[in-house]
Amino acid sequence: MKSYQKLATDIPQPTESYAEEESIDGKPPYLWKLSTWWLGVGLLLMVAGLLSGVTMWVLRQASGGHCGQTPLEKCSIVPEPLRFDCYPERNVVVTKELCESRGCCFIERDQPLGSRSGVPWCFYPPDFPSYTLESLNQTELGMVGLLRRKVKAYYPRDIERLKLSVEFETDTRLHIKITDSTSPRFEVPLEVPQAMKRAENPIYSLEFSKEPFGLLLRRRASGTVLLNTTVAPLIFADQFLQISTVLPSKFLYGLGEHRSSFLHSLNWTTLTLWARDVPPMESYNLYGAHPFYLLMEEGGAAHGVFLLNSNAMEVALQPAPALTWRTIGGVLDFYIFLGPDPNMVIQQYQQVIGFPAMPPFWGLGFHLCRWGYGTSNETWQIVKAMRNYQIPQDAQWNDIDYMEGYRDFTFDPMKFDTLPQLVEDLHKHGQYYVIILDPGISSTNPPGSYWPYDEGLRRGIFINTTQGQTLIGQVWPGFTAFPDFSNPDTYQWWLENLNRFHARVPFDGLWIDMNEPSDFKDGSVDGCSPGKLDNPPYMPAVLGSSLSAKTVCASAKQSASMHYNLHNLYGLMEAKATASALIQIRGKRPLVISRSTFPSQGRYSGHWLGDNRSKWKDMYWSVPGVLSFNLFGIPLVGADICGFSGTTSEELCTRWMQLGAFYPFARNHNTQNEKAQDPVAFGSVARTAMKEVLLTRYALLPFLYTLFHRAHLQGHTVARPLFFEFPQDVITYSVDKQFLWGRSLLVTPVLEPGVDSVIGYFPRGVWYDYYTGSSVNSSGESLKMAAPLDHINLHIWEGAILPTQKPGSTTWVSSGNSLHLIAALSQNASAWGDLFWDDGESLDTFERGDYSYLVFNVTQNIFTSTVLHANVEATYITVDVLSVYGVRDEPSRVTVNGKENPFSYLENQVLTVSDLNLNLSQGFSIRWL
């Protein structure tokens, strides 16, 4: 029986919230703060009942301004945590003169002059000019208003009149858009649901400040203020849009893609969103852009906010707690999701951006790759060695070294001459093959010798310069052109190229890399234009301090718009074209893994976390990365197991294989000129530990596959943080060294070297050791557990039933094996689980009704399997074993469908019934007395 050591746990305490306190003199606290520090003795006039569920108020100065306050007094009353940066530019040392030229407050602090972290020296005064809400009229779905700025802002081409559109789309979703009232602006071409009627019973209320304009959103049940944009001025210029809000707590997540802890620090942190080719590192914008956050409120409720905008952006966080959105184009198009629990928030978000695709079953197996196999024969030898040791593997990959001259749609006729035979051998063994593709198309071949470029040029599907010429950059093959995936004609060209190559090498999945897009020549071989798109008035905190740093010019022309607007969409558009092509070529579910991502990409691809390093801290960083992408609606995600660059160690790789076996997407991958790190490269102890944990993953694939079905159907997360299931437990809010599969399987990996134990947090309830069934009844505490090098701790939360399967060396072998059902009883001796089952590869099996779905229950010592929907696949599978964890009293007999059956019972309260041979397609019951 496992022993556990209880540890003291520190409960994180929320910082002071300026958005929610006790009322003062009958006045809501946020308004009291506004009236005391923002407008001094300003008069607060409430004008209620203009519209149902809507309140408008006017914040205006009493005569005489701020009662004779000097500028210094007016500025000094603003609390430091609520000082919103008036001069966020990073290439300027902000002086008193520069600050005051913008009409802002300047108060020095201890940090060095020009420091971009900490309390800003230059910040907005209480009376800084903003927009006025001039009219507000009711519409069928909500309301529409007109905003007007009477005093010009300090960024060029500010827009005087704005249109405010508010739609109460559902009871838990609010849509707010602010845009130019007279001229069209770029909007993200994302398919979003259109509300047909106004929400009847919204769980939120919306209020407006007329002058200065602001929004205040409350949760009706608690009165919690979720958004309050009156705390800083709205700025809406052609290339600088900014809006701020206070937050109801400090527990904020999302806003990717970044390398950070799962729970963001609000200590004057800036997160930049601009897709960039860079090995993951802290503080920089990485491969994708996801302008969505989830926030846990005091009391356990949650809400989310999505800004549908694809331009370069930064989000400034400060300890008030407060947040500022800054973007340099498009419109302010917000969706707010009211939950009220975090699982529901993510489901509501995906109702807007789209639910993720159902992956093929083999996509959940183990994948192996490296850059530097060198030849197809060496690749083949690894596959054979994996088979020899009977280590599970479903897919073999190749990096760019399989290509001829690094050119897409080619393979090296000398070094990879046996590639077609390798793929044929994989298919004969029920395995699959995945190739890498980069978007850069070689442009230096003699005319007529490289069809992808020649035909692309003829069809005009490449990104162009401002002069209308093909933009030429440089990537792996040398000088390259870049397909414009916003052009519908590019889809056909991409399909034809893939089809031609598939006829030679019948690949099964596609790995699309370098699709930020990456360009080794900043902008192009000829540089970029000196205009406002390549040199905007405000430059967000992008790595390289330029929009064209390691990518194409922002001014480049694409079919749908300028690259300035489309850059963050490039990976999404390529993924959409790639998934479509794979479906047409293979007629089966596509497997696409993409480096660059944007909201809705889960509909077309998964994601890996990029070019990490073989370091212990990189292994830790992968956990918040996986959790974040589950928030973003891309559940098929994982990191390069054992690290991509650098040399791993046997201990690190063993621990990482144990963790990676529980990534939703599990691939071991490393770079050239480094020591091999596939499982067969190590000694017997490490190799056996890696094999065993992969067998554990394969045993759990029916459970994992069912989780992906729920993600596809309803927008559930697959890997999720503990607080999703325990939102009342504040300790879970900062846990990011553990995670759950679904609601019930807790994974506690070892993330440090040289240890044989691990500390994990167990929320209140009974938790069962996955392997043995031994239980621990936690009051909500940290426990120290044994963790020898060959073991990863897994626990099942009470009340769950997990379908597992006898594992094989591939998913094809496993999928025909018998099932082992594990029921972990709750304290009232009940449990529930389900299983989704189909052929694992056909398109739209749920939509076409070609699947089986079963529900498992335990109540009153009776286990029942109920078939709610059946197809032929279920008839091939049997249930062979049932294990019930937490049976307090030893049974005297067990019946299966009314007939007595042998059983075993252990001292740790585990009941096992074996040799059942029950067909999965038929319901059954098992009773113990």
Side-chain angles (χ1 to χ4, degrees):
M1 182 176 294
K2 183 179 294 293
S3 62
Y4 299 87
Q5 178 182 344
K6 296 186 178 182
L7 301 173
T9 304
D10 294 325
I11 299 177
Q13 296 298 321
T15 56
E16 180 183 3
S17 170
Y18 284 82
E20 188 177 11
E21 299 171 13
E22 294 297 321
S23 63
I24 301 170
D25 297 331
K27 198 180 297 181
Y30 60 90
L31 295 181
W32 181 85
K33 292 222 177 256
L34 287 171
S35 63
T36 55
W37 67 261
W38 188 14
L39 295 183
V41 293
L43 178 63
L44 178 65
L45 301 179
M46 299 297 292
V47 183
L50 290 180
L51 294 169
S52 176
V54 178
T55 302
M56 183 188 297
W57 71 79
V58 182
L59 294 168
R60 69 185 188 191
Q61 296 171 239
S63 60
H66 291 264
C67 298
Q69 287 179 330
T70 66
L72 180 59
E73 290 173 334
K74 177 179 66 175
C75 294
S76 61
I77 64 171
V78 180
E80 287 188 351
L82 278 165
R83 293 181 179 176
F84 290 86
D85 200 344
C86 177
Y87 219 115
E89 284 83 351
R90 280 163 176 73
N91 59 347
V92 177
V93 175
V94 182
T95 62
K96 186 173 187 291
E97 291 73 23
L98 285 174
C99 179
E100 292 181 349
S101 70
R102 291 188 171 182
C104 291
C105 297
F106 186 86
I107 297 179
E108 295 185 21
R109 296 191 78 257
D110 292 337
Q111 70 254 32
L113 182 67
S115 170
R116 303 313 305 169
S117 61
V119 180
W121 291 15
C122 182
F123 57 94
Y124 294 107
D127 56 355
F128 191 90
S130 185
Y131 285 87
T132 299
L133 179 58
E134 291 199 331
S135 65
L136 189 65
N137 298 304
Q138 191 163 189
T139 66
E140 185 176 343
L141 296 177
M143 59 201 69
V144 63
L146 180 66
L147 310 179
R148 186 165 72 91
R149 175 174 276 280
K150 300 175 182 176
V151 179
K152 293 185 70 65
Y154 48 82
Y155 283 106
R157 300 181 302 280
D158 66 332
I159 297 170
E160 179 185 357
R161 293 181 180 273
L162 302 175
K163 178 184 177 181
L164 168 69
S165 173
V166 177
E167 294 185 353
F168 302 96
E169 293 193 342
T170 73
D171 289 344
T172 57
R173 185 174 80 225
L174 177 65
H175 186 190
I176 300 172
K177 183 188 289 189
I178 302 174
T179 188
D180 190 332
S181 66
T182 58
S183 300
R185 295 177 60 81
F186 175 79
E187 297 188 28
V188 181
L190 189 69
E191 297 176 9
V192 294
Q194 300 299 314
M196 303 306 294
K197 65 176 183 177
R198 181 173 178 155
E200 296 179 354
N201 297 293
I203 65 172
Y204 51 86
S205 64
L206 186 63
E207 304 167 17
F208 296 90
S209 164
K210 181 178 180 181
E211 186 173 11
F213 166 72
L215 298 164
L216 190 138
L217 179 68
R218 297 175 184 270
R219 185 180 297 282
R220 285 189 183 274
S222 63
T224 301
V225 176
L226 309 182
L227 298 176
N228 178 1
T229 70
T230 65
V231 292
L234 167 66
I235 297 178
F236 201 120
D238 182 39
Q239 291 182 273
F240 186 87
L241 291 70
Q242 177 176 278
I243 190 168
S244 302
T245 180
V246 288
L247 302 170
S249 87
K250 69 172 185 178
F251 299 113
L252 183 137
Y253 312 84
L255 298 172
E257 180 177 7
H258 298 95
R259 169 169 284 196
S260 69
S261 58
F262 185 51
L263 173 63
H264 284 301
S265 168
L266 271 60
N267 189 26
W268 305 105
T269 303
T270 298
L271 304 172
T272 307
L273 283 66
W274 183 248
R276 178 60 148 84
D277 171 9
V278 60
M281 59 184 73
E282 296 91 313
S283 305
Y284 293 118
N285 49 298
L286 301 182
Y287 309 109
H290 292 271
F292 166 81
Y293 71 77
L294 170 77
L295 189 135
M296 291 299 295
E297 305 158 26
E298 309 299 333
H303 70 273
V305 176
F306 172 42
L307 173 55
L308 181 51
N309 181 294
S310 60
N311 290 92
M313 181 188 308
E314 61 188 21
V315 184
L317 309 175
Q318 60 194 76
L323 174 151
T324 297
W325 299 92
R326 297 189 194 104
T327 183
I328 60 172
V331 302
L332 296 176
D333 191 0
F334 289 102
Y335 288 85
I336 301 97
F337 311 100
L338 276 291
D341 71 60
N343 287 291
M344 295 175 70
V345 170
I346 301 306
Q347 290 176 265
Q348 292 157 12
Y349 175 44
Q350 291 178 86
Q351 287 169 3
V352 170
I353 64 172
F355 295 136
M358 186 69 184
F361 193 55
W362 66 267
L364 305 184
F366 178 61
H367 302 252
L368 190 57
C369 183
R370 80 166 298 173
W371 179 19
Y373 283 128
T375 68
S376 52
N377 285 339
E378 184 177 341
T379 309
W380 206 340
Q381 288 304 313
I382 296 296
V383 173
K384 291 176 180 178
M386 291 285 286
R387 290 178 193 156
N388 183 55
Y389 286 108
Q390 297 182 312
I391 300 173
Q393 181 190 2
D394 261 82
Q396 181 61 51
W397 299 38
N398 275 121
D399 208 317
I400 58 174
D401 48 334
Y402 81 88
M403 300 177 184
E404 183 177 19
Y406 297 139
R407 292 188 295 275
D408 281 352
F409 314 113
T410 68
F411 67 93
D412 190 314
M414 301 296 291
K415 296 179 179 179
F416 281 81
D417 57 314
T418 59
L419 187 57
Q421 291 76 33
L422 165 60
V423 176
E424 182 182 8
D425 178 67
L426 288 168
H427 290 166
K428 284 181 179 178
H429 286 82
Q431 294 173 298
Y432 299 84
Y433 184 63
V434 180
I435 59 169
I436 191 172
L437 287 175
D438 296 337
I441 301 297
S442 176
S443 62
T444 58
N445 305 278
S449 65
Y450 186 49
W451 193 86
Y453 179 72
D454 294 337
E455 189 64 14
L457 202 62
R458 188 185 72 80
R459 299 187 192 186
I461 56 85
F462 292 123
I463 294 176
N464 289 330
T465 66
T466 53
Q467 291 77 35
Q469 303 298 313
T470 300
L471 184 146
I472 301 298
Q474 183 176 343
V475 202
W476 296 113
F479 294 145
T480 54
F482 297 89
D484 176 8
F485 289 102
S486 76
N487 184 345
D489 295 338
T490 305
Y491 278 52
Q492 182 62 29
W493 169 86
W494 192 244
L495 168 63
E496 290 176 26
N497 277 288
L498 288 169
N499 212 4
R500 288 160 61 100
F501 189 65
H502 190 268
R504 302 172 64 200
V505 180
F507 55 83
D508 303 290
L510 289 168
W511 169 23
I512 49 177
D513 192 11
M514 308 288 286
N515 56 347
E516 293 73 32
S518 177
D519 182 359
F520 298 163
K521 293 283 188 182
D522 291 355
S524 76
V525 294
D526 299 315
C528 299
S529 76
K532 65 180 184 179
L533 296 181
D534 293 303
N535 302 279
Y538 179 78
M539 182 65 67
V542 297
L543 178 61
S545 302
S546 168
L547 296 182
S548 62
K550 212 171 181 182
T551 191
V552 302
C553 300
S555 60
K557 293 182 178 179
Q558 296 189 234
S559 174
S561 186
M562 310 304 291
H563 191 72
Y564 183 88
N565 296 320
L566 298 176
H567 173 82
N568 281 340
L569 300 173
Y570 194 87
L572 167 63
M573 291 179 169
E574 186 191 16
K576 188 175 181 179
T578 304
S580 173
L582 267 178
I583 290 171
Q584 293 179 70
I585 292 169
R586 298 183 70 244
K588 299 175 181 179
R589 279 178 233 165
L591 179 76
V592 180
I593 300 296
S594 174
R595 191 166 76 176
S596 189
T597 58
F598 190 79
S600 82
Q601 192 142 342
R603 297 171 61 186
Y604 312 107
S605 83
H607 172 64
W608 97 104
L609 296 174
D611 296 340
N612 60 3
R613 298 166 181 83
S614 296
K615 294 183 178 180
W616 289 90
K617 70 171 185 177
D618 284 61
M619 179 167 59
Y620 155 68
W621 288 124
S622 72
V623 178
V626 166
L627 293 177
S628 292
F629 272 87
N630 272 267
L631 300 190
F632 300 149
I634 306 176
L636 188 64
V637 59
D640 282 346
I641 297 171
C642 300
F644 172 70
S645 65
T647 301
T648 191
S649 67
E650 187 167 280
E651 181 191 13
L652 172 60
C653 199
T654 302
R655 293 301 194 189
W656 209 328
M657 282 289 293
Q658 289 168 347
L659 168 61
F662 294 92
Y663 293 154
F665 167 64
R667 183 187 69 165
N668 180 315
H669 175 49
N670 74 329
T671 190
Q672 59 184 349
N673 303 320
E674 295 289 354
K675 185 174 68 174
Q677 62 187 35
D678 50 84
V680 298
F682 296 97
S684 62
V685 173
R687 184 176 63 244
T688 300
M690 295 177 186
K691 176 181 176 179
E692 288 303 314
V693 78
L694 288 177
L695 288 171
T696 300
R697 176 188 179 88
Y698 274 59
L700 284 161
L701 284 180
F703 175 58
L704 180 62
Y705 194 59
T706 301
L707 293 178
F708 269 97
H709 167 68
R710 290 199 205 149
H712 170 62
L713 190 64
Q714 299 170 319
H716 288 203
T717 53
V718 173
R720 69 186 61 161
L722 273 66
F723 71 78
F724 269 48
E725 299 304 322
F726 304 93
Q728 302 296 325
D729 186 344
V730 181
I731 297 173
T732 63
Y733 292 10
S734 58
V735 173
D736 62 4
K737 294 183 178 180
Q738 297 169 274
F739 57 94
L740 292 163
W741 266 13
R743 62 181 295 272
S744 53
L745 185 67
L746 177 63
V747 182
T748 307
V750 172
L751 302 173
E752 299 173 357
V755 300
D756 59 6
S757 62
V758 65
I759 296 171
Y761 180 72
F762 287 77
R764 180 180 296 274
V766 177
W767 295 86
Y768 296 92
D769 184 285
Y770 167 77
Y771 309 98
T772 68
S774 296
S775 65
V776 57
N777 194 342
S778 174
S779 60
E781 53 206 319
S782 294
L783 302 175
K784 185 176 182 179
M785 298 167 285
L789 189 59
D790 62 353
H791 183 74
I792 181 171
N793 279 275
L794 303 175
H795 290 83
I796 307 173
W797 188 29
E798 62 172 291
I801 299 175
L802 271 57
T804 71
Q805 194 164 33
K806 180 182 178 181
S809 57
T810 66
T811 55
W812 182 79
V813 173
S814 292
S815 64
N817 289 343
S818 59
L819 295 181
H820 176 185
L821 306 178
I822 302 175
L825 299 185
S826 67
Q827 295 177 68
N828 65 3
S830 64
W832 184 93
D834 62 346
L835 173 64
F836 176 84
W837 201 250
D838 60 12
D839 68 7
E841 63 178 9
S842 295
L843 295 164
D844 303 323
T845 56
F846 178 80
E847 291 78 4
R848 293 187 291 104
D850 192 13
Y851 67 94
S852 294
Y853 181 70
L854 297 87
V855 169
F856 310 117
N857 271 290
V858 176
T859 54
Q860 298 179 338
N861 294 351
I862 302 174
F863 181 101
T864 58
S865 174
T866 304
V867 181
L868 298 184
H869 195 281
N871 74 335
V872 67
E873 297 296 330
T875 65
Y876 306 142
I877 307 299
T878 61
V879 175
D880 191 49
V881 181
L882 169 67
S883 294
V884 186
Y885 296 168
V887 179
R888 295 171 186 168
D889 300 315
E890 182 174 0
S892 59
R893 64 192 182 99
V894 171
T895 62
V896 178
N897 291 332
K899 298 180 180 180
E900 286 203 30
N901 203 84
F903 67 94
S904 66
Y905 181 81
L906 301 178
E907 290 183 357
N908 63 345
Q909 301 183 341
V910 174
L911 168 67
T912 302
V913 189
S914 304
D915 301 321
L916 293 170
N917 197 31
L918 297 167
N919 194 280
L920 186 64
S921 64
Q922 302 295 320
F924 61 85
S925 65
I926 300 174
R927 183 175 185 178
W928 53 97
L929 301 170

